[in-house]
């Protein structure tokens, strides 16, 4: 993928509030545990910024304007894990110039080894401003953004990819035209979440559409949607002939899924089924990294850990009062004590396997007024975008 060599065709999808540096490290380390013996022995000789032995692990979505304005929260979010092998950042934005400025900044200041662009987020606060999954409908705007970011990154030999959905709804599909425009602009790969914005995460991902894109493009196509196990990943690749898989919700509370994925693509049958004692140890390490290497604020880190703890403990036999107490932890000491009070001699439960995350139901996408009237951006549409990036929260 450009100058990056993915030894394993596996990518952790960017997820807001989830794929920060500590979580990425845990997923990557688990992925490396699934490497074949020869690849595992070669880890010490990898070329930083180029070799991705266990795949790519992408940052949270970074707002381009917030990055250009160097808001403190955003600058903290793009700080890589010190052990990160390939620094992968996902940019979000609706203004070509700002996106290009953000890409230039990342490259000039040596803050990145790979840039991904977000054209797939279905969240209303993003789509109602014309961003995320809504943006590819405006063909000219989409093409200009991609062209400018690729041009900004090219002098530094930084690979650029795009992640998109199939369209806004079944009547407004955009993935084929957008993918061709992205390929013409010079991107190194296209990742397709095979759902529309209207679907959010409901129903089934339409893997046939990934296969259509594979046939259409000359560059690698990465498949995303409904991968909750190594077997799902292998099935997607067999069904679509995609070059690699992108995994999001399936990894929530389950970084060891990357052990399974990497092992499966290495032809190994190794699968990780940790006991509750091993899961508790992973939770504590996650909490330690959140405090020491990311937030530096124990209370904030523990508040962020609460959702992860719920995901980690899914399916285990844990009483309601114990779960409630874990959802109130404020210190690492409390986290340790409440985890150690559990019956830790439990094997990995079957109930913890399968789909994760809230699927919800299909929804009418929130879009700017008149957005669907034309697939091209007019003067009124341009005005609608003026406030799209004023929220400089960093994600």
């Amino acid at each position: 993928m450009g100058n990056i060599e993915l030894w394993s065709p596996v990518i952790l999808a960017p997820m807001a509030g989830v794929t920060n540096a500590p979580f990425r490290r845990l997923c990557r380390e688990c992925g490396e545990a699934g490497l074949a013996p020869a690849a595992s022995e070669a880890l010490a000789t990898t070329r930083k910024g180029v070799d991705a032995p266990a795949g790519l692990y992408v940052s949270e979505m970074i707002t381009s304007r917030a990055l250009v304005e160097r808001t403190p929260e955003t600058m903290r979010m793009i700080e890589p894990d010190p052990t990160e092998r390939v620094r992968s950042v996902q940019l979000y934005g609706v203004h070509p110039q700002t996106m290009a400025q953000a890409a230039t900044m990342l490259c000039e200041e040596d803050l990145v080894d790979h840039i991904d662009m977000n054209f797939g987020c279905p969240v209303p606060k993003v789509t109602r401003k014309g961003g995320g999954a809504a943006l590819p409908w405006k063909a000219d705007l989409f093409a200009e953004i991609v062209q400018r970011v690729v041009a900004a990154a090219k002098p530094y030999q930084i690979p650029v990819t795009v992640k998109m959905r199939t369209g806004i709804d079944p009547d407004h599909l955009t993935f084929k035209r957008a993918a061709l425009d992205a390929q013409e602009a010079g991107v190194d790969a296209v990742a397709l979440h095979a759902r529309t914005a209207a679907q959010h995460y409901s129903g089934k991902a339409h893997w046939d559409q990934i296969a259509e894109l594979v046939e259409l493009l000359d560059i690698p196509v990465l498949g995303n949607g409904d991968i909750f196990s190594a077997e799902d990943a292998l099935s997607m690749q067999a069904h679509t002939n995609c070059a690699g898989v992108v995994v999001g919700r399936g990894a929530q509370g389950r970084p060891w899924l990357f052990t399974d994925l990497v092992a499966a693509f290495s032809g190994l049958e190794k699968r990780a089924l940790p006991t509750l004692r091993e899961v508790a140890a992973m939770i504590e390490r996650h909490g330690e990294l959140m405090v020491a290497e990311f937030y530096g604020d124990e209370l904030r880190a523990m508040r962020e850990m609460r959702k992860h703890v719920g995901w980690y403990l899914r399916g285990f036999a844990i009483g309601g009062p114990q779960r409630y107490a874990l959802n109130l932890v404020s210190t690492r000491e409390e986290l340790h004590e409440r985890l150690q009070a559990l019956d830790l001699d439990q094997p990995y439960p079957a109930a913890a396997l399968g789909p994760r995350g809230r699927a919800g139901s299909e929804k009418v996408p929130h879009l700017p007024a008149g957005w669907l009237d034309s697939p091209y951006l007019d003067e009124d549409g341009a005005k609608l975008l003026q406030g799209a990036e004023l929220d400089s929260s960093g994600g």
Side-chain angles (χ1 to χ4, degrees):
M1 203 168 72
N3 64 342
I4 294 175
E5 295 188 17
L6 274 70
W7 301 12
S8 304
V10 175
I11 298 177
L12 169 65
M15 292 180 281
V18 178
T19 55
N20 54 29
F23 186 71
R24 295 198 306 273
R25 184 194 290 196
L26 294 176
C27 290
R28 178 178 53 76
E29 290 177 349
C30 287
E32 290 173 358
L35 288 168
S40 184
E41 291 171 7
L43 282 178
T45 61
T46 55
R47 299 164 297 165
K48 196 163 185 179
V50 177
D51 285 328
L56 278 182
Y57 298 83
V58 188
S59 76
E60 301 176 70
M61 184 177 82
I62 303 296
T63 302
S64 58
R65 177 168 294 187
L67 180 61
V68 169
E69 295 178 353
R70 296 179 183 273
T71 62
E73 179 70 5
T74 302
M75 298 308 292
R76 185 182 57 75
M77 288 171 68
I78 65 168
E79 287 183 14
D81 160 36
T83 68
E84 209 141 28
R85 298 181 185 277
V86 177
R87 300 162 300 169
S88 183
V89 170
Q90 189 187 67
L91 283 179
Y92 156 76
V94 298
H95 297 293
Q97 182 177 358
T98 308
M99 284 287 282
Q101 287 176 329
T104 298
M105 174 183 166
L106 289 171
C107 296
E108 277 186 350
E109 299 181 20
D110 190 24
L111 298 171
V112 70
D113 300 307
H114 161 242
I115 294 173
D116 184 52
M117 286 183 280
N118 182 305
F119 298 111
C121 181
V123 175
K125 72 175 183 178
V126 171
T127 59
R128 69 163 52 100
K129 296 177 179 178
L135 196 145
W137 176 248
K138 300 298 186 184
D140 49 351
L141 177 62
F142 173 84
E144 185 178 0
I145 288 176
V146 176
Q147 289 165 8
R148 289 212 185 187
V149 171
V150 170
K154 188 174 182 179
Y156 304 90
Q157 297 184 308
I158 298 298
V160 175
T161 59
V162 299
K163 185 170 186 286
M164 63 179 72
R165 288 192 172 228
T166 56
I168 292 175
D169 57 39
D171 296 322
H172 301 88
L173 297 179
T174 56
F175 71 102
K176 291 182 182 179
R177 185 260 303 147
L180 285 170
D181 286 348
Q183 177 175 269
E184 184 177 351
V187 302
D188 294 282
V190 171
L192 181 67
H193 184 165
R195 285 184 170 90
T196 62
Q199 281 184 273
H200 277 239
Y201 300 97
S202 66
K204 291 287 185 182
H206 303 292
W207 288 2
D208 287 345
Q209 292 172 321
I210 299 172
E212 290 179 42
L213 214 55
V214 170
E215 289 294 316
L216 185 66
L217 299 185
D218 298 319
I219 58 176
V221 173
L222 309 169
N224 179 218
D226 294 347
I227 297 177
F228 300 104
S229 69
E231 287 65 37
D232 291 337
L234 295 175
S235 294
M236 174 185 277
Q237 193 170 56
H239 184 90
T240 68
N241 203 30
C242 62
V245 298
V246 181
V247 182
R249 293 176 300 148
Q252 290 178 351
R254 195 166 49 173
W256 49 85
L257 174 60
F258 286 92
T259 300
D260 297 0
L261 292 166
V262 172
F265 282 115
S266 299
L268 306 177
E269 295 184 0
K270 179 179 182 179
R271 299 294 182 267
L273 295 170
T275 64
L276 182 53
R277 189 177 303 280
E278 292 169 323
V279 171
M282 178 75 78
I283 293 172
E284 291 207 49
R285 180 147 185 269
H286 192 167
E288 177 186 357
L289 291 172
M290 291 277 273
V291 174
E293 296 190 12
F294 194 63
Y295 286 114
D297 178 328
E298 186 173 38
L299 178 58
R300 184 178 179 186
M302 289 301 102
R303 283 176 174 169
E304 284 296 313
M305 276 299 299
R306 292 170 187 173
K307 64 189 174 193
H308 290 280
V309 171
W311 293 332
Y312 275 116
L313 298 180
R314 174 180 169 171
F316 285 101
I318 298 171
Q322 291 172 304
R323 287 186 182 271
Y324 180 75
L326 281 162
N327 196 44
L328 296 175
V329 294
S330 299
T331 66
R332 287 178 55 203
E333 183 178 357
E334 287 179 355
L335 180 64
H336 173 75
E337 291 176 350
R338 293 172 191 182
L339 287 172
Q340 293 305 307
L342 303 177
D343 175 12
L344 297 177
D345 294 321
Q346 296 183 44
Y348 198 69
L353 302 173
R356 292 197 164 214
R358 295 180 180 178
S361 58
E362 195 161 323
K363 303 174 178 64
V364 176
H366 293 252
L367 302 169
W371 191 254
L372 296 179
D373 292 348
S374 168
Y376 299 99
L377 192 67
D378 57 19
E379 186 176 343
D380 290 337
K383 290 178 181 177
L384 287 170
L385 298 178
Q386 290 306 308
E389 294 179 6
L390 293 181
D391 177 8
S392 58
S393 68

